[in-house]
Amino acid sequence: MDDQIECSGFFAAQTEETISCLDKFQSSGALQWVSGNILEAFYSFGYAVTHPGSWLAWVGGLDTPEDKQSMMKFIFYGASVEFFFVVFTIFLLVTIAGLIWRNFMWRSVRFLEGFANMFGRFFAWAGLIMVLQQIIIVFMQRIFTRSEIALVYGVDFLTFDVSWWSEELKLYNALVVALCCTYTFVQGGHVRVDLVYSAVRFRTKRVIDMLGSLFFMMPVALVTWLYGWFYLWRNLVVPNVSAWNYDLDQLLTRSRAMRWNVETIGFSPNGFTAYFLFKILLVTFALMVFLQAIAFFYRSYLEWKEGPESEGKYLDKDKLGDADAELAANIH
């Protein structure tokens, strides 16, 4: 406290000592803020686990004011500082455990990469479905001159205009892009913009990969999540929810008027009416990229630690079954 008074006495002079002292208190305050939020994350996580009704009561419906408040809490905390520090604290604990027990970190890598591969291999079939559906649309329009296509013959609520099915093709493309992105990353299918990477040593490459995952992949995924989360809910409920304009108490007050308002407006009168699914995919994409960034950071660290002989260790890559295709994939 005496140091703080001593510093404040020089504010008018704007000397170098004043600036240095101010920087010291700013950095100290930031450190206290981060450490305080990390400690609070243990309480936040414990409370969320032991009191699921406080933020999941809305799953059964929005029948009571308590249900509406629980949904508002779910939306608010889904992109809040508290949630960020819960995730950050879990990441720190898993990383510390992995540094102590290397096999645990390898298991984490295999689990996260297996998660990406599982989703990617399943939703990659959306590309085939998209092609087959486009063929059916062409046949129904040009040959049979039908204006409607029924998913199940004779069922009215599964019968849509041809333009609905045409616009719905975008959903398959979005499935491939959003849910196969991390799968493609694990398989090494993304194009790398290489300026110095190929010319440096093995361990230097791993350092570049670690920095890229920490300072590029994670921040981009985080920003995408923050914007995508409220963008999603603004197309699902009213009134509009934004943690940037209201605090939690204000949002809980607004929750009395909350109701479902799922976006069903297409780009054309008879067009696709489930564009809210694209918002869900945006949030899912951000989550999967963030998890893959963690896996990539761990793998890069482990390969840096263990040396060139660990490159590609436990990596579950697809077998193309053709020597030329395998060579082209490795070159790419």
Side-chain angles (χ1 to χ4, degrees), residues 157-204:
F157 72 89
L158 293 177
T159 302
F160 301 99
D161 192 86
V162 172
S163 61
W164 189 96
W165 293 103
S166 297
E167 286 189 19
E168 195 246 355
L169 293 172
K170 301 174 186 177
L171 178 62
Y172 298 124
N173 186 64
L175 287 170
V176 173
V177 172
L179 302 181
C180 297
C181 180
T182 53
Y183 162 65
T184 306
F185 188 90
V186 172
Q187 299 296 321
H190 284 290
V191 177
R192 179 186 291 273
V193 180
D194 187 4
L195 299 177
V196 297
Y197 191 84
S198 61
V200 298
R201 295 178 299 175
F202 175 82
R203 281 192 165 86
T204 305

Side-chain angles (χ1 to χ4, degrees), residues 45-57:
F45 179 78
Y47 185 86
V49 171
T50 56
H51 298 78
S54 66
W55 55 283
L56 285 179

Side-chain angles (χ1 to χ4, degrees), residues 9-281:
F10 292 97
F11 282 165
Q14 292 294 309
T15 61
E16 293 182 1
E17 291 81 5
T18 305
I19 297 173
S20 176
C21 191
L22 182 60
D23 290 341
K24 179 179 70 174
F25 281 105
Q26 287 177 339
S27 61
S28 176
L31 182 61
Q32 291 177 0
W33 180 78
V34 172
S35 59
N37 277 284
I38 291 176
L39 292 175
E40 186 181 352
F42 291 96
Y43 170 79
S44 300
F45 179 78
Y47 185 86
V49 171
T50 56
H51 298 78
S54 66
W55 55 283
L56 285 179
W58 60 273
V59 174
L62 297 177
D63 302 324
T64 66
E66 290 76 17
D67 295 338
K68 296 178 180 181
Q69 288 185 357
S70 71
M71 171 176 273
M72 191 63 80
K73 290 179 182 178
F74 180 82
I75 298 172
F76 176 82
Y77 284 115
S80 64
V81 174
E82 291 83 358
F83 181 64
F84 168 80
F85 275 99
V86 168
V87 175
F88 180 68
T89 303
I90 293 174
F91 170 68
L92 284 181
L93 293 176
V94 173
T95 303
I96 292 171
L99 293 175
I100 298 173
W101 300 288
R102 195 178 302 173
N103 285 335
F104 175 76
M105 186 174 285
W106 273 121
R107 291 192 187 97
S108 300
V109 171
R110 296 176 69 180
F111 173 79
L112 293 173
E113 290 183 347
F115 176 77
N117 280 335
M118 178 186 68
F119 265 75
R121 287 165 178 160
F122 180 81
F123 286 101
W125 290 100
L128 176 61
I129 298 174
M130 178 171 59
V131 173
L132 295 176
Q133 182 170 310
Q134 180 64 76
I135 294 173
I136 292 173
I137 290 172
V138 172
F139 268 78
M140 296 300 289
Q141 276 188 313
R142 303 302 179 186
I143 298 178
F144 299 103
T145 63
R146 299 286 299 178
S147 61
E148 294 181 341
I149 301 176
L151 185 62
V152 178
Y153 181 76
V155 181
D156 292 337
F157 72 89
L158 293 177
T159 302
F160 301 99
D161 192 86
V162 172
S163 61
W164 189 96
W165 293 103
S166 297
E167 286 189 19
E168 195 246 355
L169 293 172
K170 301 174 186 177
L171 178 62
Y172 298 124
N173 186 64
L175 287 170
V176 173
V177 172
L179 302 181
C180 297
C181 180
T182 53
Y183 162 65
T184 306
F185 188 90
V186 172
Q187 299 296 321
H190 284 290
V191 177
R192 179 186 291 273
V193 180
D194 187 4
L195 299 177
V196 297
Y197 191 84
S198 61
V200 298
R201 295 178 299 175
F202 175 82
R203 281 192 165 86
T204 305
K205 291 180 180 179
R206 300 291 84 83
V207 172
I208 293 174
D209 291 338
M210 284 188 282
L211 294 176
S213 61
L214 286 178
F215 298 108
F216 180 74
M217 288 183 70
M218 287 186 183
V220 168
L222 177 62
V223 172
T224 304
W225 174 277
L226 291 175
Y227 281 93
W229 180 257
F230 292 112
Y231 180 53
L232 163 65
W233 287 101
R234 282 198 299 270
N235 291 275
L236 292 180
V237 298
V238 290
N240 290 338
V241 180
S242 175
W244 298 315
N245 298 328
Y246 305 97
D247 59 26
L248 180 59
D249 291 335
Q250 291 174 319
L251 289 175
L252 291 178
T253 301
R254 288 166 58 87
S255 68
R256 290 177 295 184
M258 175 171 283
R259 59 182 175 83
W260 288 106
N261 187 38
V262 180
E263 177 189 31
T264 57
I265 299 175
F267 288 121
S268 60
N270 296 318
F272 186 58
T273 54
Y275 278 97
F276 68 92
L277 295 175
F278 292 90
K279 283 77 173 181
I280 296 176
L281 287 176

